Amino acid sequence: MKSAVETLNPTRVRLTVEVPFEELKDSLDAAYKKINQQVTVKGFRKGKVPARVIDQRFGRGAVLEEAVNDALPKFYTEAVNEAEINPLGQPEVDITELKDGETLNFTAEVDVRPAIEIPDYSGIEVEVDEIEVSDEDVEKSVEQLRTRFASTSPVERAATEGDVVTIDLEAKVDGEVLADGVAEGVQYTIGSGELLEGIDEAVTGLEAGGEATFTSQLKGGSAEGKDAEVSVKVTQVAARELPELDDEFAQMASEFDTLDALKADSRKRLENMKQYDQATQAQERVLEKLLELVEVPIPEKLLEDEINTRKHNLEHHQLGQMGLDLAKYLEIQGKTEEEFVAETKEQAVKGIKTQFVLDELVNKEKLNVSQEELTEHLMRRAASSGMSPDQFAQAVVEGGQVPMLVGEVARGKALAVVVEASTVKDTKGEIVDMSDDEDEAEESAEGSAAATGDEDKTEA
């Protein structure tokens, strides 16, 4: 077999392949065997029909077609390896010449990873928010914990903000009560914003037994998005009673003996959260700077596929779970379809560019992924997907997605290398040491790669 490669543009090549006919022998034998198992010829046992009879009865062309279809993937792979290219997606194959007993010639056009030059990134500088936890932040955190341990007790007075009311609801559209528009015994905290718009105003000031009517746009159900006339009846008003902020509360709500110890722990937790947020912010801004430094041609077919994948996932997974379609989503977001398409394309370009650049960094820095690192990443992905580690691992193996996960971890390590080499300052001008945040950098990049990881699946 002889092959040659022609560069059509920075992201696409054409392979020209010439195959001597004798190299098709194994595929021809396999073709005759396959056809033998599928046909019945009078006078011959099944599977024992001679080749010459198959040629006479069914045509040599049918055998050649079966043999070529069997052989093409092997010859294409050999040509790809010989040319040392990194193909993306499936090739467009054209058989240019097929002479029985002489030769098979074909061309294959395919998108390839562009050659990328990674510049010196040690000069990257970014600014991030400083880590500052105020006394007010701590008090707010403790107050949220206090709210979780609140109790309620019925009261004989008008409902006010913060009260828990038990209500019956009935929704009508065009004067007709909806089949799914009736609910009884619903508990609602006034001011929480967890039910229909307008309900806070309707129930505030009502005592048990009080009724009101208001108009609101339905958030779900059979008449989602339509304006409904909603009748609400308050059957009970209950006041929320917060526990006293003292050592006894600390012992009830935590493992600490004193309120001061609980507050100190809350401050430490908030500092850790802000430190993680700061690290994530640094990673995102360093990545943005890195992408600005690198010129990356984007394969058109890969970009088209990525845009379609993102749109499909939004419409059929994310919005489907929320009971929305794309038109309603765009209406809520206040966007036109053209704006949505432009944003999706921008996100897809960034996702592909991120993967290409980080993959090139993995090669440049000769980064490897250990079994321990892969296992840790798998555990994080399992937790975020709501599956057990065993279930997630089984799904990954059965779906052939192990290489994709390895790629995500490797890209995380590549981004961590760039972050550590960059200069990160907070808003006070203080240098932020990112060397201790390598795990966070890798995890953030892994998440970014996971969000745009469909490109891995397109590689041959």
Side-chain angles (χ1 to χ4, degrees), residues 1-2 17-21 23-24 75 102-106:
M1 186 196 82
K2 294 192 302 182
V17 185
E18 298 178 11
V19 183
F21 203 80
E23 294 188 31
L24 283 172
F75 293 129
E102 295 184 27
T103 187
L104 163 67
N105 296 336
F106 69 91

Side-chain angles (χ1 to χ4, degrees), residues 11 114 296-303 348-350 352-353 356:
T11 63
V296 182
I298 305 295
E300 292 183 10
K301 182 64 167 61
L302 182 63
L303 177 58
V349 167
K350 181 180 179 181
I352 295 171
K353 188 173 182 180
F356 283 174

Side-chain angles (χ1 to χ4, degrees), residues 120-152:
D120 179 16
Y121 46 79
S122 61
I124 291 178
E125 293 189 13
V126 297
E127 183 180 79
V128 295
D129 296 335
E130 62 179 296
I131 296 176
E132 183 177 7
V133 177
S134 66
D135 292 342
E136 183 180 349
D137 292 332
V138 175
E139 295 298 333
K140 183 178 179 181
S141 175
V142 173
E143 191 63 27
Q144 289 173 344
L145 181 62
R146 185 187 183 200
T147 301
R148 286 169 49 192
F149 284 84
S151 60
T152 59

Side-chain angles (χ1 to χ4, degrees), residues 4-230:
V5 60
E6 175 188 359
T7 299
L8 303 178
N9 61 50
T11 63
R12 194 165 180 84
V13 300
R14 179 190 292 124
L15 294 167
T16 301
V17 185
E18 298 178 11
V19 183
F21 203 80
E22 58 266 22
E23 294 188 31
L24 283 172
K25 183 180 182 308
D26 290 343
S27 294
L28 280 168
D29 291 343
Y32 278 116
K33 185 175 181 181
K34 182 176 181 180
I35 294 173
N36 239 314
Q37 300 299 322
Q38 296 173 341
V39 302
T40 301
V41 178
K42 188 175 181 180
F44 297 95
R45 286 181 296 167
K46 193 172 185 65
K48 299 297 184 180
V49 183
R52 59 180 175 77
V53 176
I54 291 177
D55 289 345
Q56 291 169 358
R57 291 291 185 93
F58 306 101
R60 173 73 167 177
V63 179
L64 286 175
E65 181 180 358
E66 180 66 37
V68 169
N69 288 338
D70 176 74
L72 276 178
K74 181 187 73 170
F75 293 129
Y76 167 71
T77 301
E78 290 179 6
V80 164
N81 293 336
E82 187 176 298
E84 296 182 345
I85 60 174
N86 295 308
L88 300 168
Q90 297 302 314
E92 294 179 7
V93 178
D94 181 27
I95 298 174
T96 56
E97 187 176 22
L98 176 58
K99 289 185 178 180
D100 194 358
E102 295 184 27
T103 187
L104 163 67
N105 296 336
F106 69 91
T107 62
E109 289 191 16
V110 67
D111 286 334
V112 295
R113 281 178 174 266
I116 300 175
E117 188 68 34
I118 302 294
D120 179 16
Y121 46 79
S122 61
I124 291 178
E125 293 189 13
V126 297
E127 183 180 79
V128 295
D129 296 335
E130 62 179 296
I131 296 176
E132 183 177 7
V133 177
S134 66
D135 292 342
E136 183 180 349
D137 292 332
V138 175
E139 295 298 333
K140 183 178 179 181
S141 175
V142 173
E143 191 63 27
Q144 289 173 344
L145 181 62
R146 185 187 183 200
T147 301
R148 286 169 49 192
F149 284 84
S151 60
T152 59
S153 57
V155 292
E156 295 182 2
R157 59 166 173 77
T160 62
E161 183 172 355
D163 285 344
V164 178
V165 289
T166 303
I167 54 178
D168 297 336
L169 296 166
E170 181 182 84
K172 295 180 181 178
V173 173
D174 298 329
E176 296 290 331
V177 177
L178 298 173
D180 56 354
V182 178
E184 296 180 348
V186 177
Q187 288 196 329
Y188 174 68
T189 302
I190 300 177
S192 67
E194 295 174 352
L195 278 180
L196 298 169
E197 185 176 347
I199 195 169
D200 288 337
E201 294 81 359
V203 298
T204 297
L206 296 182
E207 298 183 16
E211 299 182 32
T213 301
F214 63 100
T215 300
S216 184
Q217 187 179 80
L218 299 178
K219 296 180 179 180
S222 59
E224 177 189 356
K226 293 184 178 180
D227 287 337
E229 183 182 272
V230 183

